[in-house]
Amino acid sequence: MGINNLPDNPYLLLTPGPLSTTKTVKAAMLRDWCTWDDDYKTIVQEVRDTLVRLATNKTDRYTCVLMQGSGTFSVESIIGTAIPENGKLLVLPNGAYGDRIVQIAKTLKIPVVFNDSGELDPPDLAKLEATLKADRAITHVAVVHSETTTGMLNPIAEIGKIVKRHGKIFIVDAMSSFGGIPMDIEALGIDFIVSSANKCIQGVPGFGFIIADKELLMTCKGRARSLSLDLYDQWNTMENDKGKWRYTSPTHVVRAFHQALKELDEEGGVAKRAERYRANHRTLVDGMRGLGFRTLLPDAFQGHFITSFYSPESERYDFRTFYDRLKTRGFVIYPGKVSKASAFRIGNIGDVYPADMERLVKTIAASMFWQG
Ligand SMILES: *Cc1c(COP(=O)(O)O)cnc(C)c1O
């Protein structure tokens, strides 16, 4: 079946993620692949090498591990493997995904403390400094880069400087930002960074990936609190067996991801993709403000990956009706996730372009049923 025969999606997914992918990414899944033969293992190795290159210029120092499951499985594999028995984790949450890291640590019975700055504020750097000074038991610090709950882009460069000045290990959940904003993890002082297939690289869901300081990862042997999520052992098998996963790997999804990485390169790389996402975001926000909507965050805190808007204040508004109207007209949006305000969210990432955002704003203008 050629890609021209693939049906068009009835709507754009503005819900990262899963998000809208190209037909060519979906078409890459239309054949079956072994998990252990050389064709497939070569693809896995190319994916791992490409991801390290996207993360840093210091490629020798870092290595990449692919992990089955959704993004959370990969976060859990880091937390459960990187922190030794006598370690202690400090998390800087300001939304649901930061809270989830705390929850993972608690579930695994890892000592954890957290400085919660609230959903509408970035982490407090002075408080971070003070906590690290006061609590010498802390060995690792974790933060979310793009907090998908609100769309806030946390200042990982400033946080990393403080974490490194105190000699701690720095873990970053860059799930919804990696590949959509230029970064060099070596310059940022990051020891473990994590993202997944179905975010800014524009693949389909099924696995996550971790880019780690190689020497540090090698010290994690035998530490994991889970068999399936043993990050060290997964790496060791992939490394020694040149692209083999320990257990059944999501072959079709990896194949689609390999195609998605090729398309990222053809687009002009991460800087170009970031430009497109920024243009999507700008077009969306300008258009929505023109219609009278207000963004949840001030522009200074806002990333270009996902945007939260306050719900209209009319009593006649309800999200479900709004959602259904937009879905019938070709766009799927996200409900809000903040606890203290009524809001909805619109993703700017995926195979989506400023022209789509212009169409979306026009469609929203025609769907404001609460205005009588
Ligand atoms: C998507 C996402 C995750 C992972 O969520 P899954 O549903 O497990 O894929 C983690 N952190 C952030 C910031 C995310 O956006």
Side-chain angles (χ1 to χ4, degrees):
M1 185 157 104
I3 65 160
N4 293 330
N5 297 324
L6 285 176
D8 283 326
N9 227 53
Y11 37 71
L12 271 184
L13 287 180
L14 302 176
T15 55
L19 38 61
S20 292
T21 58
T22 62
K23 280 193 174 181
T24 33
V25 162
K26 288 186 273 276
M29 294 186 286
L30 294 178
R31 60 162 284 191
D32 303 314
W33 295 82
C34 310
T35 57
W36 49 264
D37 93 331
D38 287 342
D39 292 348
Y40 180 68
K41 280 169 35 178
T42 303
I43 284 172
V44 172
Q45 294 299 70
E46 278 177 23
V47 164
R48 294 177 63 213
D49 290 346
T50 306
L51 289 172
V52 173
R53 278 202 307 276
L54 291 182
T56 182
N57 287 324
K58 292 268 184 350
T59 50
D60 287 350
R61 187 172 156 189
Y62 291 88
T63 188
C64 177
V65 194
L66 312 182
M67 183 63 79
Q68 293 96 332
S70 84
T72 304
F73 292 60
S74 286
V75 177
E76 187 157 341
S77 79
I78 298 176
I79 303 300
T81 308
I83 301 166
E85 215 171 309
N86 57 355
K88 183 172 184 179
L89 176 65
L90 168 64
V91 186
L92 310 174
N94 53 356
Y97 293 98
D99 292 344
R100 192 175 293 175
I101 300 176
V102 176
Q103 198 187 349
I104 288 170
K106 284 185 174 165
T107 305
L108 297 176
K109 307 206 166 25
I110 292 168
V112 58
V113 285
F114 54 95
N115 288 352
D116 192 334
S117 51
E119 287 161 334
L120 302 184
D121 282 297
D124 182 334
L125 300 179
K127 195 170 172 196
L128 167 62
E129 184 85 53
T131 306
L132 290 176
K133 266 201 191 116
D135 188 345
R136 298 298 180 152
I138 293 168
T139 50
H140 294 63
V141 178
V143 71
V144 175
H145 186 204
S146 165
E147 183 38 273
T148 314
T149 308
T150 52
M152 188 175 308
L153 194 63
N154 284 321
I156 52 171
E158 286 81 353
I159 295 168
K161 275 200 193 95
I162 297 170
V163 171
K164 286 292 128 182
R165 204 179 329 112
H166 288 268
K168 311 300 178 191
I169 291 166
F170 191 28
I171 300 168
V172 175
D173 171 352
M175 204 71 65
S176 64
S177 56
F178 187 87
I181 188 169
M183 61 168 86
D184 190 312
I185 58 172
E186 203 261 349
L188 291 164
I190 297 172
D191 298 293
F192 294 90
I193 194 164
V194 51
S195 181
S196 73
N198 58 285
K199 304 260 169 142
C200 295
I201 311 285
Q202 298 182 186
V204 302
F207 72 94
F209 54 87
I210 297 95
I211 299 152
D213 181 297
K214 203 185 296 181
E215 295 214 336
L216 192 60
L217 181 60
M218 283 161 74
T219 66
C220 297
K221 183 177 181 181
R223 270 191 202 163
R225 292 152 179 90
S226 154
L227 173 68
S228 333
L229 297 178
D230 185 335
L231 186 63
Y232 172 84
D233 206 40
Q234 181 90 340
W235 171 77
N236 195 41
T237 302
M238 260 181 199
E239 192 73 5
N240 292 329
D241 222 333
K242 303 196 170 19
K244 188 179 176 297
W245 299 49
R246 283 181 309 161
Y247 312 127
T248 301
S249 81
T251 45
H252 299 64
V253 174
V254 172
R255 200 38 233 187
F257 189 76
H258 185 258
Q259 173 64 25
L261 282 172
K262 193 166 150 238
E263 292 176 17
L264 172 60
D265 187 49
E266 285 163 1
E267 186 170 349
V270 173
K272 282 285 177 216
R273 180 154 294 180
E275 252 173 54
R276 172 164 64 86
Y277 288 167
R278 233 177 246 123
N280 287 348
H281 170 70
R282 212 53 267 158
T283 307
L284 175 71
V285 170
D286 290 349
M288 292 293 277
R289 284 183 177 152
L291 296 177
F293 287 93
R294 287 185 306 129
T295 56
L296 181 75
L297 298 178
D299 290 355
F301 297 163
Q302 174 75 60
H304 56 264
F305 303 99
I306 185 166
T307 320
S308 297
F309 295 94
Y310 282 107
S311 304
E313 269 161 32
S314 165
E315 278 183 7
R316 281 188 299 194
Y317 171 83
D318 79 290
F319 177 75
R320 193 70 221 185
T321 310
F322 185 43
Y323 173 91
D324 286 338
R325 287 203 181 198
L326 295 181
K327 186 173 164 193
T328 328
R329 295 166 183 178
F331 300 95
V332 167
I333 65 166
Y334 244 11
K337 202 169 183 163
V338 284
S339 49
K340 293 190 186 76
S342 173
F344 61 89
R345 294 175 294 166
I346 297 179
N348 307 305
I349 66 178
D351 187 37
V352 173
Y353 299 81
D356 295 312
M357 290 306 190
E358 276 167 28
R359 278 195 306 120
L360 170 68
V361 171
K362 284 204 183 96
T363 306
I364 289 177
S367 307
M368 293 164 71
F369 58 92
W370 56 92
Q371 289 194 337

